[in-house]
Amino acid sequence: ARDAFPANLVAIRAPFHDCRLREYQERMTDLARFMAMIAASVKLNEALVSIIKKHGNAPVITCGISLGGWVTNLHRTLYNTADGYIPLMAGTYLGEVFLRSSYRKLAGQNALDHPETLRDLLNFNREFDSVTSANVHPLLARYDRFIEYEVQAKSYGNHPIRTIDFGHVTGALQAKVLREHILDVLKTHVLTAPAIQRKTIYT
């Protein structure tokens, strides 16, 4: 149904996502590589938003699921140059994913022995909260064992959250539900909204 609405879709592939799963897992044993993967994705998002806005005045939306959702939230935190943000199954307490969720089993002992260091490096909830634009429209899965609902829902303060009664993988497979959320945000909040005052936190 891609012709059902007038929009251009640009899909970004994060670093280390063009290899086999085993190779990806080996590369992700280093926290620096994990952080570089996210940082590069955010910078690429910003480069694309900047280029698109130079050549037109249509709204630009940043959206992603899981890892892409973290990138979406971090782009809003650091740049806030898109007109809307739709993070799917993600939050701002990234460190908690490796300390408290089922992903804990993937964290090395060094990380588990220094939880506050991991939180300082990966959580960005305070910086996210300092962006006051009402332009984030999250979706979380109630039974997600990785992006835990009770933990990550706190990321969004007073911003409304759409909740679906699925887990992480089962939620990701609900293409129709996710698509409806995205289209609803576009129609209700973005395409009909007045010009958004943009706030740059860091460039």
Side-chain angles (χ1 to χ4, degrees):
R2 62 185 178 185
D3 296 327
F5 50 93
N8 295 313
L9 176 65
V10 181
I12 294 175
R13 182 174 65 191
F16 310 125
H17 278 64
D18 59 344
C19 58
R20 295 179 181 276
L21 179 60
R22 181 181 296 275
E23 185 178 354
Y24 169 79
Q25 291 173 331
E26 290 173 353
R27 291 179 179 183
M28 289 300 104
T29 57
D30 188 329
L31 181 60
R33 286 191 185 135
F34 178 78
M35 295 177 72
M37 173 180 66
I38 294 176
S41 300
V42 172
K43 291 288 285 184
L44 180 54
N45 262 285
E46 175 56 18
L48 287 168
V49 170
S50 178
I51 290 169
I52 292 168
K53 286 189 171 290
K54 283 181 181 178
H55 295 281
N57 57 6
V60 177
I61 313 303
T62 297
C63 176
I65 186 169
S66 195
L67 173 64
W70 295 101
V71 170
T72 296
N73 281 335
L74 191 54
H75 183 273
R76 179 180 181 273
T77 301
L78 298 177
Y79 295 101
N80 196 31
T81 50
D83 297 291
Y85 292 88
I86 310 176
L88 309 172
M89 292 186 281
T92 61
Y93 295 91
L94 183 53
E96 306 310 313
V97 173
F98 297 100
L99 293 171
R100 297 175 55 170
S101 81
S102 293
Y103 259 120
R104 177 182 168 89
K105 61 186 178 183
L106 298 179
Q109 194 59 46
N110 187 42
L112 298 177
D113 289 342
H114 301 89
E116 291 311 313
T117 299
L118 200 64
R119 289 186 172 107
D120 288 342
L121 289 170
L122 296 181
N123 289 354
F124 56 96
N125 51 296
R126 293 190 186 93
E127 296 84 353
F128 183 87
D129 289 345
S130 70
V131 181
T132 57
S133 306
N135 60 353
V136 62
H137 311 279
L139 178 148
L140 290 172
R142 190 181 306 277
Y143 306 114
D144 196 326
R145 294 174 59 200
F146 304 114
I147 316 302
E148 294 179 301
Y149 187 90
E150 296 301 326
V151 174
Q152 303 303 335
K154 298 174 183 176
S155 303
Y156 299 109
N158 294 325
H159 297 286
I161 301 171
R162 178 164 183 184
T163 302
I164 59 174
D165 291 328
F166 293 95
H168 193 74
V169 175
T170 54
L173 295 174
Q174 302 304 311
K176 183 178 179 181
V177 175
L178 301 181
R179 182 167 166 264
E180 286 175 351
H181 176 65
I182 295 167
L183 292 180
D184 181 62
V185 170
L186 287 174
K187 294 173 183 176
T188 307
H189 301 284
V190 178
L191 299 180
T192 59
I196 296 173
Q197 181 178 359
R198 298 183 182 87
K199 176 181 177 183
T200 301
I201 304 300
Y202 173 84
T203 56

